[in-house]
Amino acid sequence: MGKPLKVGIVGCGAIIAQYLANFRKLNDIDLVAVADLDPARAQAVAEQYEGVRAVSVDDLLAADDVELVLNLTIPAAHAEVALKAIAAGKSVYGEKPLAATTEEARQVLDAAREAGVVVGCAPDTVLGTGIQTARKAIDDGLIGAPISASATMVTPGHERWHPNPDFYYQPGGGPLLDMGPYYVTALVTLLGPVVSVVGAASHTRNERTIGSGPRQGEKIPVTIDSHVTGVLTHASGALSTLFMSFDAVKSKSPNIEIHGERGSLVVPDPNYFDGDVQLFSLGAEDWETLPVSAGYVDSGRGFGIADLAATPAGSEPRAGGAMAYHALEVMESVLESAHAGSAVRITSTVERPQRVELTVLTENVDALQAQEAAS
């Protein structure tokens, strides 16, 4: 459109700092207003960001100069806030997950389609140079036809550092729904949509002890599966194995590995935007680190909104609602399969998003120049 996208933020919790830092670097984003149920938090944000006003949630949704609402509320409120924004004629971009359930997520997508607005959703980490360089390696045939993948996330539990970790051990929490969006979205970006899943799940402790903050030493109940394993069958025929745990201690395995007929890739942590991609080719003697060759350089949270703003009208954004819905259904279905003891078919699908060519969206071109010199 040739002009910045005007954005209003609902929810001024800790995560907003990362978005604010990147909005300052993105010429295509113009933050105009912030709102929070706690007016003081919104006012504190407005005071540190020039040209931004603190308003009520209702006033932000009604504002004529807000074109897109960035929804940074808690997951339980994602659908409610998104639906109100859509009803006000605004496009929406939300933190993961799209909604607490696929039923609520479907309501959001249906409402957006009827209103003619756009839905985007984190994680946009898959748009960074880490996942996108791996994607280009697959597209270029460096590993041949993909056969399988593994995705591993191991931590002994967020209660060790989080002062209020109750949510992680209640319905809607757990390692898969908390961290799975990063891994499932990366796997779909790399290998395409999923058509069926098989899952298994368990938990080793019925309570956890908070390790920091004013509630240190308090015990909280565990009412969800805290260790989840799943096998995803992609439409391409590739098989991905998920290993998500709040029970185990540590893993030396790479975050994601992709295996093909002629080689294997080590893919960096999908919770981050960059990182080295390593290739072991058939007949090679050792791993090689691939040069950065695709993705948004020096990117961070909020780049998905800039990508959405640049998406042609009528096209689905790379970090769009369709991808977020598909990832949510995959995760829900893994848990359903774990409890039912049988495979579950995935009813949704999504186009494998177009690769991000090596792109600088900010004025900081040093990183790109360094990579070009190295290659």
Side-chain angles (χ1 to χ4, degrees):
M1 296 292 292
K3 61 180 181 179
L5 179 68
K6 295 186 178 298
V7 175
I9 299 178
V10 176
C12 296
I15 193 64
I16 195 174
Q18 296 185 46
Y19 282 92
L20 295 179
N22 287 305
F23 282 179
R24 287 188 170 95
K25 301 187 295 183
L26 292 168
N27 294 327
D28 292 336
I29 302 296
D30 183 11
L31 181 62
V32 297
V34 293
D36 193 277
L37 291 178
D38 180 353
R41 292 207 300 185
Q43 185 60 43
V45 170
E47 289 175 356
Q48 64 178 287
Y49 202 107
E50 185 177 356
V52 174
R53 64 187 187 275
V55 296
S56 70
V57 174
D58 288 343
D59 285 346
L60 187 147
L61 297 178
D64 290 337
D65 62 343
V66 173
E67 298 172 298
L68 179 141
V69 172
L70 172 55
N71 184 2
L72 301 183
T73 58
I74 61 173
H78 282 183
E80 178 185 358
V81 172
L83 288 169
K84 287 181 178 179
I86 291 167
K90 317 294 187 187
S91 292
V92 179
Y93 185 96
E95 257 302 323
K96 54 87 181 170
L98 180 59
T101 66
T102 51
E103 181 180 358
E104 290 182 348
R106 175 49 57 194
Q107 294 174 12
V108 171
L109 296 185
D110 288 347
R113 185 180 63 254
E114 293 176 5
V117 298
V118 180
V119 174
C121 188
D124 52 1
T125 50
V126 295
L127 307 181
T129 54
I131 301 299
Q132 289 296 317
T133 294
R135 165 65 184 270
K136 186 175 189 300
I138 294 172
D139 291 350
D140 290 348
L142 298 188
I143 65 169
I147 299 169
S148 67
S150 61
T152 304
M153 192 289 300
V154 171
T155 175
H158 292 344
E159 76 280 1
R160 295 166 59 86
W161 58 269
H162 199 295
N164 295 291
D166 310 68
F167 162 77
Y168 295 110
Y169 300 102
Q170 298 171 357
L176 182 58
L177 293 177
D178 175 44
M179 295 300 294
Y182 299 103
Y183 294 83
V184 174
T185 304
L187 289 170
V188 174
T189 297
L190 295 168
L191 300 176
V194 176
V195 294
S196 68
V197 303
V198 176
S202 65
H203 75 266
T204 58
R205 285 169 280 171
N206 292 324
E207 61 182 19
R208 301 283 179 127
T209 302
I210 299 177
S212 65
R215 300 171 63 196
Q216 184 174 0
E218 179 182 336
K219 296 185 182 300
I220 58 173
V222 176
T223 61
I224 49 83
D225 295 312
S226 49
H227 183 100
V228 182
T229 298
V231 177
L232 319 181
T233 300
H234 295 263
S236 65
L239 302 176
S240 292
T241 302
L242 287 175
F243 173 40
M244 307 274 124
S245 184
F246 281 170
D247 291 340
V249 176
K250 191 70 174 177
S251 172
K252 288 186 70 174
S253 300
N255 291 283
I256 295 178
E257 284 187 348
I258 308 289
H259 303 284
E261 295 175 315
R262 296 199 300 273
S264 296
L265 289 174
V266 172
V267 183
D269 188 342
N271 192 30
Y272 299 95
F273 287 81
D274 54 12
D276 289 339
V277 177
Q278 294 183 297
L279 169 69
F280 198 106
S281 299
L282 183 65
E285 295 183 355
D286 202 354
W287 294 90
E288 64 172 307
T289 299
L290 298 180
V292 171
S293 58
Y296 289 119
V297 175
D298 193 28
S299 54
R301 295 186 190 275
F303 273 62
I305 300 175
D307 186 80
L308 179 152
T311 301
S315 298
E316 177 71 11
R318 292 182 179 94
M323 174 66 82
Y325 182 91
H326 186 66
L328 181 58
E329 186 187 359
V330 168
M331 293 184 293
E332 273 194 0
S333 298
V334 167
L335 295 175
E336 179 186 343
S337 172
H339 298 150
S342 58
V344 175
R345 297 288 301 177
I346 305 300
T347 62
S348 67
T349 191
V350 64
E351 293 290 332
R352 188 166 173 250
Q354 184 178 3
R355 188 176 71 235
V356 180
E357 301 302 329
L358 195 60
T359 304
V360 175
L361 288 184
T362 70
E363 296 178 358
N364 181 11
V365 298
D366 293 342
L368 178 59
Q369 292 174 340
Q371 291 296 338
E372 289 178 338
S375 61

